[in-house]
Amino acid sequence: MPIEITILGCGSATPVPDRNPSSQFVRINQTGILIDCGEGSQMQMTKFNVKHSKIDVILISHLHGDHYFGLAGLISTMHLMSRKRKLILAGPHELWRLLEDHFLVSQTKLSFEIDFKPIHSPKEGLLFENEDCSINTFPLHHRIPCQGFVVKEKQGGFHLIPEMLKLYKLPITKLKELKMGKDIQLENGDIIPNSRVAIPPPIPHSYAYCSDTAPFEELVTYIQNVNLIYHEATFDESLAERAHQTFHSTAKQAATHAKDANAGKLIIGHFSSRYRETELLLNEACSVFPNTIIAKDGLSILSE
Amino acid sequence: MPIEITILGCGSATPVPDRNPSSQFVRINQTGILIDCGEGSQMQMTKFNVKHSKIDVILISHLHGDHYFGLAGLISTMHLMSRKRKLILAGPHELWRLLEDHFLVSQTKLSFEIDFKPIHSPKEGLLFENEDCSINTFPLHHRIPCQGFVVKEKQGGFHLIPEMLKLYKLPITKLKELKMGKDIQLENGDIIPNSRVAIPPPIPHSYAYCSDTAPFEELVTYIQNVNLIYHEATFDESLAERAHQTFHSTAKQAATHAKDANAGKLIIGHFSSRYRETELLLNEACSVFPNTIIAKDGLSILSE
């Protein structure tokens, strides 16, 4: 089923009115994932009706302030609201030291457990999985160690058709095999094809978050065929040299990654504060990858 | 001359819409002072037209996140805007370690110098002075080490009356004495009373910031006779027990401090998120100290 992304901040390092630093909320079935948490993210959550109680996992791509300066505040608020449920937190390994120091000096003993999964960049592989999804990480190419994430829906079981189960008088012991898509053999030797009593599950959706990065060839191998990509597009093409110097991407480069990865849809964000209007960036991206959406704080987008 | 306070945040630990965590900008002559810097303070500055380039001094009262989680972000923005001017920063001594660690992991070498003045609480005395003002600190009574601040305008010189200086043909060598308020003797022996050629300067204004604190007797000795006080008033009187347990004040207790200190005017703030309306708190304070103003994000107040 579709994955829903709510943009909480699509600005870059310098916050501007109506554009907070990076943060977004990803809903995949019953699992809530916050990716990056720039300053003010918790206020954006209140503004856009994203409840922090719905967050199961927080992923931090790298330790530039515009991607994590809101994290300690959000965790403090969860504590003040007496959260009990464990929180999964994955991010650069130094992040834990920074957080611990905050809570040490404020003499705070959190009301809930944080299961911290340190990332030693460059890292590629599985970070977390539950019944709804898996989260993989992959290295990006930025000034400091930086990681991207791919969230992938778990393949669901085949949907059984109750009327058909009844018609064939199928025993409960066979249901597991049917849900796995197998044909089954009855005691009398008859074979019931799976397709008569079950419907294949929908193809799992997937979402890739490409945080701050210069373009590089291998990137598309990590995000191949995803339904939806969020990719930074800090600059327009006329500032390609500046993008290169600062290890960022232009809108066109972001779109090229989406095209080469055969993605379904692209969201571009992380705009430099120099762009009050973003039409230029959208046009550049669309010229390469037409199914591009421009991020905007508060916007919700579904994978397709 | 009056000191101007602009409230950037008057909420307490949990941010609510329209009420950010603690921060305020104090303008005293040509000196700009930011007191406390909760998360989102730099966005509030943009919203309320307080330019970060006007900040000369930042004071952090204590290391609860709602009083400093916006500091690293603000300093980062100053750096990104290529600030060159030295910044004075005073706060709990551990603050420097926290900041340094942020800039270490982000590999940031700031574009400007920070002159950090560590406060080892409890501390009483002068923190900083320049030609406009002096800043003193004093200990408060909170769960963790916490300091208040008194900003006092420097006593200006006597204002000389140009017409009278001309009339008496007073030599330049005497002007310094006149500005100090002294009578002067001419070469012919005549004595010119200061009051004939000069006007006494206005009485210096003063402002006290009382951050998170339980009420305690000695407090009023630190803030005696100030023109204006900002005092936390986290709770109303019905929650006095909760205030006591958490080392906070009620609105009435804040007003009692203002009254006992013989202050000119009181601003109350740092309201618990449970108060959507603050009339109850204002009424309680006014019953003890009528010249009370309720803080509101974006409000500017002059000392009187």
Side-chain angles (χ1 to χ4, degrees), chain B residues 150-223:
Chain B
V150 173
V151 180
K152 192 169 180 183
E153 190 187 14
K154 277 275 175 76
Q155 174 78 63
F158 279 56
H159 294 245
L160 306 184
I161 308 165
E163 296 77 12
M164 299 305 281
L165 297 181
K166 214 168 170 182
L167 186 69
Y168 288 105
K169 295 182 180 142
L170 293 176
I172 290 176
T173 50
K174 298 288 184 189
L175 299 189
K176 196 173 171 188
E177 284 170 62
L178 284 172
K179 281 187 180 167
M180 292 166 75
K182 292 182 180 167
D183 300 336
I184 56 167
Q185 191 167 21
L186 297 182
E187 278 182 6
N188 63 8
D190 287 355
I191 287 179
I192 312 287
N194 189 284
S195 59
R196 295 298 302 272
V197 295
I199 300 165
I203 296 166
H205 278 228
S206 54
Y207 170 62
Y209 178 80
C210 300
S211 191
D212 296 11
T213 190
F216 63 106
E217 223 169 85
E218 301 80 355
L219 175 58
V220 295
T221 63
Y222 301 124
I223 59 174

Side-chain angles (χ1 to χ4, degrees), chain A residues 13-15 17 21 39-43 46 63-64 68-70 72-73 76 80-81 94 97-98 101-102 105-107 144, chain B residues 13-15 17 21 39-43 63-64 68-70 72-73 76 80-81 94 97-98 101-102 105-107 144:
Chain A
T14 316
E39 183 179 356
S41 295
Q42 61 170 322
M43 289 80 159
T46 305
L63 294 181
H64 277 153
Y68 87 101
F69 277 171
S76 295
L80 289 167
M81 296 290 117
E94 304 98 323
R97 182 184 78 222
L98 294 165
D101 213 2
H102 279 306
V105 295
S106 60
Q107 298 176 19
I144 62 170
Chain B
T14 315
E39 182 179 356
S41 294
Q42 62 171 322
M43 289 79 158
L63 293 181
H64 278 151
Y68 87 101
F69 277 169
S76 296
L80 289 168
M81 297 288 118
E94 303 99 322
R97 182 182 79 222
L98 293 166
D101 213 2
H102 279 306
V105 295
S106 61
Q107 298 176 18
I144 62 171

Side-chain angles (χ1 to χ4, degrees), chain A residues 272-291:
Chain A
S272 158
S273 59
R274 75 194 71 207
Y275 302 107
R276 294 308 306 127
E277 302 299 325
T278 48
E279 213 177 306
L280 171 66
L281 299 163
L282 180 62
N283 290 343
E284 276 191 4
C286 283
S287 72
V288 174
F289 188 82
N291 202 7

